[in-house]
Amino acid sequence: MNRAIVELTARQLLGQRRSLLLVVFALIPVGIALLYRFEGQQPNHVQWTANVLGARLIVGTLLPIAAVIFGTAALGSEFEDGTAVYLLSKPLSRSRVVLSKLLVAWLATGALVLASVLVAGAIAIRDIPDQGVLLGFAVAVAAGSLAYCSVFVLLSILTSRALITGLIYVFIWEGLMTALFSGTKVLSIRQYTIGVAKWLTTTSERTFAARLDGPEALALMVVMSILATWLAVRALARWEIGESG
Amino acid sequence: MSQRDEPAGSIYDLGYRRYDGPRLGRRHAMLSLYLFSLRGAFGLGRRTSSKIIPIAIAIIAATPAVIQLGVGAIVSSEHLHVIRPENYFNFIQIAVALFCAAVAPEVMGRDQRTRTLPLYFSRALLRSDYVLGKLAALWTALLFLTFVPQALLFLGNGMASSNSTGYWRDNWMDFPRIVASGALVAALFASLSLLVAAQTARRAYATVSVIALFVISSVISEVISGTAGGVWGQAAVLLTPFEVVRATILWVFQSNAESGSALAQADLPGYVFFAMLCAATAIAAWLVVRRYERIAV
Amino acid sequence: MTATTERETATAGAPAPAPAIEAVSVSRWYGNVVAVNDVSFALGPGITGLLGPNGAGKSTLLHMLAGFLAPSAGSVRMFGETIWKNEALYRRIGLVPEREAIYPFLTGYEFVLLSARLHKLPDPEAAAARAIRIVDMGSAQDRAAAGYSKGMKQRIKIAAAIVHDPEVLLLDEPFNGADPRQRLHMMDMLREMAAAGRTIVFSSHILEEVERLAENVLVVVSGRLAASGDFRQIRKLMTDRPHTFTIRSSDDRRLASALVSDTAVFGVELGSDRLTVRAADFAAFAHAVAKVARGAGVSLFEVLPTDESLESVFSYLVKR
Amino acid sequence: MPLLSTRELSKRYPGVTALDGLSIELEPGVIGLVGANGAGKSTLLKILLGLLAPTSGEATLLGYDVRRQGPELRQFVGYMPEHDCLPNDVSATEFVAHMAQINGLPRAAARERTAETLRHVGLFEERYREIRGYSTGMKQRVKLAQALVHDPRVMLLDEPTNGLDPAGREDMLDLVRRTGNEFGIAIIMASHLLGEIERVCDHLVVIDAGRLLRSAAIGEFTQRTQVLAVEIEGDAGPLAGRLAASGLRVKMEEHTVLIGIEAGQTPYDAIRDTVADLGLGLVRLEQRRQNLEDLFRTPEREDADVAAG
C-alpha cells in the first residue's frame, strides 16, 4: 500500500458528482424501509428484510452498482484521463498501485453499502429478534464488496470499457443467466454474498434461502478475490501505454 | 469568340468562388440539425456497425405486428386479435428502453464528447434551438417503434379483413388513438432519456445511466407496490415510466387494466397518468434546455 | 546516492560510465506495423531535440525511453540498466507526458507534493516548494488545476517531473500551449538544467524552437533514425545540396564577377537588389567572401545563408 | 465599416478578470492575435462568437452587435477552434455539408460548396472516408473547411497549426494566407507562435492582462534596429576584440558579434577587413530587426543592451 495513492484515490472517488448520486442510491433502501415500517403489510419482518431489502435491493442492486462505479473508477479513470503515467513513472512497484487503488475502492463501496444495510435493516426489522439477518448481511456485504471491487479493478486494467462490461456482468450474467441456469451460480458474486449472509443467520429455509452453502460461498468468494487481484497486479505490471498516449 | 471557326477551348477559373445565394437562418439550421440527428439515430450515413443496434431494435419492435399480420393472413379470422393496439406497448417496452439507452447518448452526448458543440453554438442557431432539434429527432426516431408498427398493423388488419369497409367503419377510432398514444409514449421516453444522456459526455456512462433509470425506477416501484398499502402503494406505479405509459395508453383507448396487474391494484383514474406523463415530459425537456443554456463550451 | 553507488559497484572496472540514455537496435512493432525500426543512439548531458513528421514513430520511441512500452527487439538502457519493468530507475528520471491531464481536484502544489511523496523524498514539502519556484508557479500554486491554462498545466507538470532532481528529463511536446513568454521562460529553464549536467530529451514540432534550444537533434522518419547530432554538422554532410547565400553590397555586379572566379563558388545570380550565390563548400565560401569583397573594393552590407536552418535540414531529411 | 470594434469590453469571473475594458478597432485583413495565456485572447474570441456573454461593454463584428444580433451575425462568421471538434464516425463530406446547412445554406448549395471547399483545403479522395482514419493534418483541413464552407466574411482561427508537423504547418499557413489574400476573407488568427504570425498576418494585436497592449501593422513590430549581427565560423572572441579596439560598441553571443551603430557610422568595411585579416569564415552579416518576441521579454531592448554593454 502507498499512503499518497490511497489519499489521492479517496479524493478521486469521493469528491465527485457520481459519489453524490451513489449516496442518493444508498438512501433508497432506507426510504423503502421507512415506508415498510409505517405502511407495510407483510406479516414477517425478518422474511421481508432478508429477501426484499437485503437480497433484492441491497445485494442485488446497490452493492454491484456501487462496486462497479468505484471499482472501475479507482484505476480506470486514471487511464481514461491520462493521469496513470504520473503513478507509473515513480519508483514504486505496480503491485502497490493496484493494491492501494483496490483498498480505497473496497472501503468506499463497503462503507456506503454497509451504512445502507445497517440503517435500512434496523428500521425494517424493528425490535423483534432478527435471527442474525443484520449481522449476516453486514459481513456478507463487506466481503462481497471486496470480491466485486477486485474483479472490477481487474476489468479496468484490461479494457477501456470496464464500466459497460461490469454492468453486463452484473445485470445480464448475474441477473438473468443465473436466474435461468442454476449452474452459473458458482460464478456469481451476488450468490456468494447471499450464501455468506445466509450462513450467518439462523433463519429457516422457508424464510430466507440461498443457492450456495455458506462454506462453499465463502471459499468461492476468497478464491475469486485473490485470483482477480493477482491477475490485476500481473496485468498492470505488463501494462503498456496506448498509441494515443 | 464570336467567330465560329476559331478552335473551341477555354481555361476556366477554378479559384475561390463567393456564395451569393440565400442564407436561410435559424429555422433551416434547426431543421438540418433535426434531420442529421435523426439519420444519426439509425446510423444512416455511418459505418454498418452503428446501424446494427438501432435498426435491429426497431425490427424487434415491429415483430409483434408482423406476427399478428401473418397469423391473420393464414387463419383469416376477424376475431383473432392476439395483439390489441392498447396492449402493443407491453410487447415492445424492453425494446423501447434499449433503444433509448443505445440511441439517446448518440443523439445528445455525442457533440459534447467530440467537442463539436462550439461549432454549433457559434453558428446561426440558438442553444435552445439545438436542444429542441435533438428532442424532435429522438422523438421521431422513437415513433418508428411506438407508432409505425401499429399503424401498419392497423392498415394490414383492415386490408386483410373480408369486409374492409366494415372494418374501417367499426375501428376507425383506433387510428387517432394509435397516433396519440404513439406520440405520447415517444415524447416521455425521448425527453427522459435525453435528460439523462445530457448529463455526461461519456457514452458508456450515459447508456448505463439510461438503463439504470429504467431498471431502478421499476425495481423501486415494484418493491413499494408490494410492500406498502394505502396511498403509497397506489402512487408507487407513478414512479416508473413503463406503468405511466401503459396506463396512459389504456386511458387513450378508454380501456381497463388487466385484473391483478399493478395498475389494476393502484386503481387510479387515467387522467392522473396522462397528467404525470405530460408533466414529466415537459419538466425533463425544460431541464435539458436549461442544462445546455448553461453549459460552458 | 545509493543508486549511484550500486551502479558503480556493478560496473566496477569499466573505464567509462554508461551513457545516460542508450538505445541499442531498438524496434517496436504493433502487429504488422513497424513503428520504430532498428534505432540506435546514445545520449549524454545536454539538450536533445527529437524530431519527426507525425506518425514517424517519435511517440513510440519516447514511450520506450520512458519505460511505458517494451521494445519488440533491442533494448533501451538508462545508466546501463534496462528501463522496461525497472521502477527503481524512475528515481533518476523525470517525465513530462504530452497529454495535458492533471488531477483536476488537486491544487498545483498538491500535485507536485504528490509527486514528491511518491518519490519518498525525505522532505517532500520543501522539494515541492523548490520545484514550483523553478517553474515560477508560486502565485497559482494554491488554485485547483482544473482552472489552469494549458501553459500553466505544462509548467506544473514540469515541476512535478523535476521535484526529485532527476538526472534525465524526458519531455513530450513541452511547449504545446505555452504562450511566448512561457516559452522563453521554459527554454531558459531547460538550458540551466542542461548546464547543470542533466540529460534532457524533448520532442517538438516547432523547428525554430528546437534550433534555438537543442545542441543535438535526433530525426526520426518512418520509424528509422534519419540523422543525429548537431544539425549544422548534419547540414554539412549533405554534400549533394549546394549552400546558397544572398548578398547585398555596394556594387553587386562587380562582386559577382569577382566571386565567379573563386573556386568555392559554382553559381552566381544577379537580382535587382541582391546577389544569390551557390557554393559547394560552406566553410570555403565563408572564408573567401570577405577577402574577395575586399579585393574587389566592394562593401558588404548583408550576407545571409538561405537554407542552413534546421527547417531546411529537416525537410531535406524527410523528403529524401 | 470596421471589421471589429469593441468598446470597454469586460468579462469578469469570480476572482478573475479575463477582459478589462478592452477597446479595439480593426480594419479587415489578416490579423494576428497574440497574448499570454489567460490574457483574454480566447475570451475575446468566444465573446465574438456568442459562446460567452460579456459582463459589460459592447462589441460589433462586421457591424453587427455580437450580443443582440448573434444569429444574423454568425451566418457570416467561420470558426476554427483550437481543440479537436470533429465527430469521427462520419465522412468529411457529410460533416462539412451538414455544417454548411447549419449555417443556413440550402441543401444543394451546401453540397456544391462542400465539394469545392474540400478541394480548396486539399482533401480529395479521402473526403468520403470516415474522419476517424484521418491524420492530424487532414483533420485540421476539415476544421478549416467547415469554417470556410459557407463563405464567411470573417474567420476566427484559434491556433490553426496546433499539433501539426513542420510540413503540415507550412501547408496550413499557406492555406490561411491564401484565404485571407486571394479569397478576400478577413481573418483573425490567435497563435502563440510569433514566427507564424509574422509570416501570415499583416496586422498584429497584442493583448495583455485583458487590455490592449498594442495594435499595429506587422511591419511596425519588426523594424530594423541599430544593431549589426556578424556570425562567423568558430570563436568570435578575436573579432569582437579587434572591433572593440577600433572604437565600436560590441557584444558577443556564441558565434555572433553584435555591433551597435551610431548615427553616421558605417562600420561595414571595418568588419569586412577585420574578418579578412583574421582569416575568419563569414557566415552571416545583417542588420538586426526588432523581434516580435521582444514584446514578451523583460522590457530592455537589444539596442539598449548593446548600448549599455
Side-chain angles (χ1 to χ4, degrees):
Chain A
M1 307 292 164
N2 180 293
R3 216 175 123 202
I5 298 184
V6 168
E7 287 174 21
L8 173 78
T9 313
R11 289 180 68 176
Q12 239 166 351
L13 293 186
L14 305 180
Q16 289 189 345
R17 207 161 55 138
R18 58 175 168 237
S19 324
L20 206 69
L21 205 69
L22 275 177
V23 171
V24 174
F25 270 6
L27 285 174
I28 289 174
V30 176
I32 290 179
L34 279 169
L35 253 177
Y36 174 77
R37 174 130 194 185
F38 296 109
E39 300 283 333
Q41 296 169 313
Q42 311 287 329
N44 187 339
H45 303 316
V46 171
Q47 189 177 25
W48 188 88
T49 306
N51 289 297
V52 179
L53 185 75
R56 175 102 203 257
L57 277 174
I58 293 190
V59 178
T61 315
L62 178 65
L63 170 63
I65 288 182
V68 80
I69 289 178
F70 285 140
T72 58
L75 194 49
S77 67
E78 301 249 10
F79 290 125
E80 203 168 327
D81 300 340
T83 50
V85 291
Y86 299 122
L87 303 184
L88 301 182
S89 62
K90 297 294 182 296
L92 73 156
S93 72
R94 292 187 175 180
S95 59
R96 280 186 178 219
V97 177
V98 173
L99 293 179
S100 308
K101 289 285 182 183
L102 175 59
L103 175 72
V104 180
W106 175 42
L107 290 180
T109 311
L112 186 81
V113 182
L114 209 57
S116 189
V117 163
L118 291 177
V119 175
I123 292 169
I125 208 88
R126 313 192 191 184
D127 41 14
I128 55 159
D130 76 342
Q131 301 173 29
V133 166
L134 270 183
L135 177 73
F137 271 97
V139 173
V141 155
S145 314
L146 180 59
Y148 270 123
C149 286
S150 55
V151 168
F152 295 141
V153 167
L154 168 65
L155 274 182
S156 73
I157 303 173
L158 296 180
T159 163
S160 58
R161 323 198 78 176
L163 186 64
I164 280 272
T165 318
L167 277 153
I168 288 174
Y169 170 75
V170 168
F171 286 125
I172 309 287
W173 180 263
E174 292 196 340
L176 223 58
M177 302 301 274
T178 316
L180 297 176
F181 309 102
S182 154
T184 57
K185 67 189 176 191
V186 295
L187 277 177
S188 162
I189 297 173
R190 184 195 296 190
Q191 298 306 331
Y192 306 163
T193 311
I194 295 174
V196 171
K198 164 73 182 160
W199 194 21
L200 295 173
T201 64
T202 54
T203 55
S204 69
E205 283 294 317
R206 269 185 39 226
T207 315
F208 173 41
R211 295 199 189 173
L212 289 167
D213 292 341
E216 192 186 7
L218 186 67
L220 284 167
M221 195 183 255
V222 170
V223 170
M224 179 76 107
S225 308
I226 292 177
L227 186 69
T229 308
W230 179 72
L231 286 173
V233 167
R234 221 173 74 116
L236 192 68
R238 297 171 168 204
W239 176 87
E240 290 190 336
I241 203 161
E243 270 179 274
S244 56
Chain B
M1 291 298 278
S2 56
Q3 278 176 320
R4 284 189 172 192
D5 50 356
E6 247 180 66
S10 323
I11 293 174
Y12 298 103
D13 181 15
L14 287 181
Y16 186 76
R17 271 193 295 173
R18 309 239 53 130
Y19 175 74
D20 302 316
R23 294 180 190 259
L24 304 172
R26 269 176 64 192
R27 292 254 305 274
H28 178 74
M30 229 173 122
L31 185 70
S32 313
L33 178 69
Y34 163 76
L35 288 173
F36 187 76
S37 307
L38 181 56
R39 280 165 55 78
F42 289 101
L44 303 178
R46 314 267 166 88
R47 55 167 55 188
T48 316
S49 64
S50 10
K51 297 183 179 77
I52 292 174
I53 288 179
I55 292 181
I57 298 177
I59 290 173
I60 290 171
T63 310
V66 173
I67 291 175
Q68 169 68 38
L69 281 175
V71 170
I74 296 161
V75 182
S76 179
S77 162
E78 315 284 79
H79 307 289
L80 191 79
H81 284 303
V82 184
I83 304 171
R84 302 273 321 145
E86 62 266 37
N87 293 332
Y88 198 87
F89 178 74
N90 297 345
F91 295 96
I92 61 162
Q93 57 179 1
I94 292 177
V96 170
L98 286 178
F99 188 83
C100 287
V103 174
E106 198 49 43
V107 171
M108 209 65 194
R110 183 172 180 267
D111 297 329
Q112 224 179 313
R113 191 161 60 245
T114 56
R115 304 185 72 186
T116 318
L117 275 185
L119 296 189
Y120 283 108
F121 294 169
S122 61
R123 282 182 149 82
L125 189 80
L126 296 181
R127 292 179 175 213
S128 50
D129 298 343
Y130 174 87
V131 173
L132 294 178
K134 291 287 186 182
L135 267 170
L138 185 58
W139 178 72
T140 313
L142 276 166
L143 287 182
F144 281 91
L145 280 76
T146 62
F147 164 69
V148 172
Q150 289 199 71
L152 294 176
L153 181 58
F154 176 77
L155 293 175
N157 275 339
M159 283 187 277
S161 167
S162 50
N163 177 6
S164 281
T165 358
Y167 180 87
W168 302 125
R169 194 178 52 235
D170 296 343
N171 296 295
W172 70 271
M173 263 304 286
D174 274 357
F175 193 76
R177 287 170 174 159
I178 290 172
V179 174
S181 63
L184 286 170
V185 174
L188 180 67
F189 277 91
S191 59
L192 282 183
S193 50
L194 281 195
L195 174 62
V196 175
Q199 304 306 314
T200 170
R202 289 178 178 165
R203 188 201 171 105
Y205 287 171
T207 301
V208 165
S209 305
V210 174
I211 290 180
L213 171 77
F214 293 138
V215 170
I216 292 173
S217 67
S218 302
V219 169
I220 291 172
S221 162
E222 189 195 319
V223 166
I224 295 181
S225 288
T227 298
V231 190
W232 285 101
Q234 272 187 303
V237 285
L238 290 169
L239 289 177
T240 163
F242 296 112
E243 297 298 342
V244 171
V245 156
R246 215 187 315 282
T248 307
I249 295 172
L250 290 173
W251 181 69
V252 168
F253 280 92
Q254 307 275 300
S255 185
N256 291 319
E258 253 174 74
S259 57
S261 68
L263 284 177
Q265 281 178 354
D267 195 28
L268 291 169
Y271 62 81
V272 173
F273 292 97
F274 172 68
M276 181 71 185
L277 186 148
C278 294
T281 304
I283 292 172
W286 176 71
L287 286 173
V288 186
V289 171
R290 205 177 76 124
R291 167 148 175 92
Y292 271 78
E293 293 281 3
R294 296 176 178 197
I295 203 167
V297 293
Chain C
M1 285 317 282
T2 47
T4 322
T5 41
E6 272 167 24
R7 184 172 54 83
E8 274 164 5
T9 43
T11 57
I21 301 177
E22 192 181 13
V24 185
S25 305
V26 172
S27 296
R28 167 75 202 202
W29 46 82
Y30 299 93
N32 282 332
V33 181
V34 180
V36 169
N37 188 358
D38 193 20
V39 165
S40 300
F41 57 83
L43 301 175
I47 306 183
T48 300
L50 179 59
L51 305 173
N54 279 335
K58 239 176 349 155
S59 296
T60 306
L61 188 57
L62 210 56
H63 286 146
M64 286 194 287
L65 295 186
F68 287 156
L69 272 181
S72 306
S75 70
V76 175
R77 303 174 157 273
M78 297 244 174
F79 307 106
E81 294 176 42
T82 312
I83 174 76
W84 177 241
K85 285 196 181 178
N86 188 350
E87 288 98 0
L89 263 183
Y90 287 117
R91 257 184 264 281
R92 309 172 70 181
I93 303 173
L95 198 69
V96 182
E98 184 190 3
R99 279 177 75 174
E100 59 193 83
I102 309 183
Y103 304 102
F105 48 88
L106 292 185
T107 66
Y109 174 73
E110 285 170 337
F111 179 62
V112 182
L113 183 64
L114 170 72
S115 192
R117 288 177 64 193
L118 290 173
H119 274 292
K120 308 223 171 64
L121 298 182
D123 187 354
E125 286 82 8
R130 185 190 60 91
I132 287 174
R133 211 166 39 244
I134 292 176
V135 300
D136 196 17
M137 279 284 288
S139 57
Q141 68 169 18
D142 294 323
R143 272 166 54 194
Y148 281 4
S149 69
K150 266 175 143 190
M152 289 163 85
K153 283 184 183 166
Q154 287 292 10
R155 279 194 289 167
I156 210 72
K157 273 160 60 185
I158 294 180
I162 60 173
V163 73
H164 57 302
D165 203 10
E167 294 151 78
V168 168
L169 190 59
L170 304 174
L171 308 100
D172 199 352
E173 297 280 351
F175 299 106
N176 216 341
D179 67 35
R181 190 172 292 148
Q182 290 166 344
R183 276 165 207 268
L184 287 172
H185 177 243
M186 246 147 66
M187 283 193 203
D188 287 343
M189 204 172 77
L190 293 180
R191 279 194 200 103
E192 270 168 41
M193 292 175 62
R198 291 188 181 75
T199 303
I200 299 176
V201 179
F202 76 104
S203 72
S204 176
H205 279 322
I206 318 295
L207 298 175
E208 293 150 273
E209 277 163 2
V210 178
E211 184 171 343
R212 286 165 57 177
L213 192 56
E215 299 101 72
N216 197 17
V217 294
L218 289 176
V219 184
V220 185
V221 178
S222 312
R224 312 257 316 260
L225 190 62
S228 71
D230 181 337
F231 85 88
R232 292 174 193 83
Q233 301 303 324
I234 298 173
R235 173 65 185 93
K236 284 182 187 142
L237 293 174
M238 300 176 185
T239 46
D240 53 338
R241 255 166 61 112
H243 301 269
T244 311
F245 293 80
T246 61
I247 300 177
R248 288 195 312 114
S249 67
S250 56
D251 189 340
D252 290 350
R253 191 169 293 277
R254 183 160 3 142
L255 183 61
S257 55
L259 282 171
V260 167
S261 54
D262 194 276
T263 48
V265 174
F266 73 75
V268 178
E269 203 176 293
L270 196 58
S272 58
D273 65 337
R274 68 194 58 208
L275 199 60
T276 306
V277 183
R278 273 188 298 281
D281 185 338
F282 185 85
F285 176 78
H287 280 93
V289 62
K291 286 179 187 146
V292 172
R294 183 170 62 178
V298 176
S299 304
L300 288 175
F301 297 145
E302 192 172 88
V303 178
L304 292 177
T306 56
D307 61 349
E308 306 305 308
S309 66
L310 178 57
E311 199 168 330
S312 93
V313 169
F314 180 77
S315 73
Y316 173 81
L317 288 170
V318 170
K319 284 176 192 147
R320 191 160 55 127
Chain D
M1 183 184 70
L3 169 69
L4 164 70
S5 145
T6 69
R7 246 198 23 236
E8 287 298 313
L9 193 64
S10 295
K11 176 71 189 179
R12 289 185 196 89
Y13 297 99
V16 185
T17 302
L19 281 184
D20 186 13
L22 180 75
S23 298
I24 290 190
E25 194 136 310
L26 292 174
E27 292 304 315
V30 183
I31 296 150
L33 185 58
V34 179
N37 275 326
K41 237 177 355 155
S42 25
T43 306
L44 175 62
L45 289 185
K46 282 185 177 173
I47 288 175
L48 297 181
L49 289 162
L51 297 177
L52 210 59
T55 314
S56 65
E58 278 174 33
T60 62
L61 187 60
L62 301 169
Y64 293 93
D65 186 310
V66 294
R67 260 211 262 192
R68 278 183 290 277
Q69 296 166 296
E72 294 96 303
L73 159 65
R74 297 200 294 265
Q75 298 185 71
F76 303 107
V77 178
Y79 171 45
M80 177 176 175
E82 175 190 4
H83 51 74
D84 284 343
C85 60
L86 304 174
N88 52 25
D89 55 358
V90 295
S91 66
T93 308
E94 175 133 356
F95 180 69
V96 174
H98 170 55
M99 278 302 160
Q101 290 193 58
I102 294 293
N103 238 322
L105 264 59
R107 204 179 146 91
R111 280 200 192 146
E112 255 172 53
R113 283 202 57 91
T114 297
E116 202 165 312
T117 312
L118 288 173
R119 184 174 58 77
H120 269 299
V121 300
L123 276 180
F124 302 96
E125 295 312 314
E126 55 276 24
R127 65 177 187 263
Y128 302 111
R129 290 209 321 256
E130 276 185 327
I131 291 174
R132 116 174 43 228
Y134 288 14
S135 67
T136 320
M138 282 153 75
K139 284 186 186 166
Q140 289 298 96
R141 285 163 199 259
V142 180
K143 280 165 64 178
L144 185 69
Q146 64 79 28
L148 185 61
V149 67
H150 52 291
D151 188 25
R153 288 195 218 144
V154 59
M155 274 174 45
L156 307 184
L157 311 178
D158 200 351
E159 303 273 352
T161 59
N162 200 7
L164 293 179
D165 61 16
R169 174 179 306 277
E170 202 52 56
D171 289 350
M172 178 55 65
L173 290 177
D174 192 49
L175 272 170
V176 172
R177 195 165 26 208
R178 275 180 49 210
T179 309
N181 299 340
E182 286 174 35
F183 308 173
I185 296 171
I187 288 177
I188 300 178
M189 167 176 142
S191 177
H192 284 321
L193 299 168
L194 301 171
E196 290 187 349
I197 297 264
E198 207 174 323
R199 272 196 265 177
V200 173
C201 302
D202 43 47
H203 193 98
L204 177 61
V205 174
V206 187
I207 296 185
D208 196 31
R211 296 180 149 276
L212 182 66
L213 193 68
R214 207 169 151 198
S215 167
I218 281 284
E220 291 188 33
F221 288 91
T222 55
Q223 279 168 341
R224 286 173 192 273
T225 59
Q226 294 304 305
V227 173
L228 272 179
V230 183
E231 186 185 336
I232 56 159
E233 280 229 315
D235 186 14
L239 177 65
R242 283 269 196 110
L243 292 174
S246 71
L248 292 167
R249 290 183 296 103
V250 300
K251 189 183 168 221
M252 240 178 63
E253 255 180 21
E254 283 176 277
H255 303 287
T256 304
V257 181
L258 299 176
I259 302 150
I261 319 174
E262 270 155 39
Q265 264 187 348
T266 47
Y268 294 105
D269 290 349
I271 294 168
R272 179 195 68 194
D273 297 345
T274 317
V275 170
D277 288 345
L278 292 172
L280 297 170
L282 178 65
V283 173
R284 182 189 303 266
L285 165 69
E286 67 178 326
Q287 194 171 354
R288 278 268 165 112
R289 285 177 180 278
Q290 225 167 299
N291 197 329
L292 283 186
E293 217 168 59
D294 297 342
L295 286 164
F296 298 94
R297 274 187 218 279
T298 32
E300 355 154 55
R301 290 229 318 266
E302 219 168 50
D303 298 9
D305 224 27
V306 175

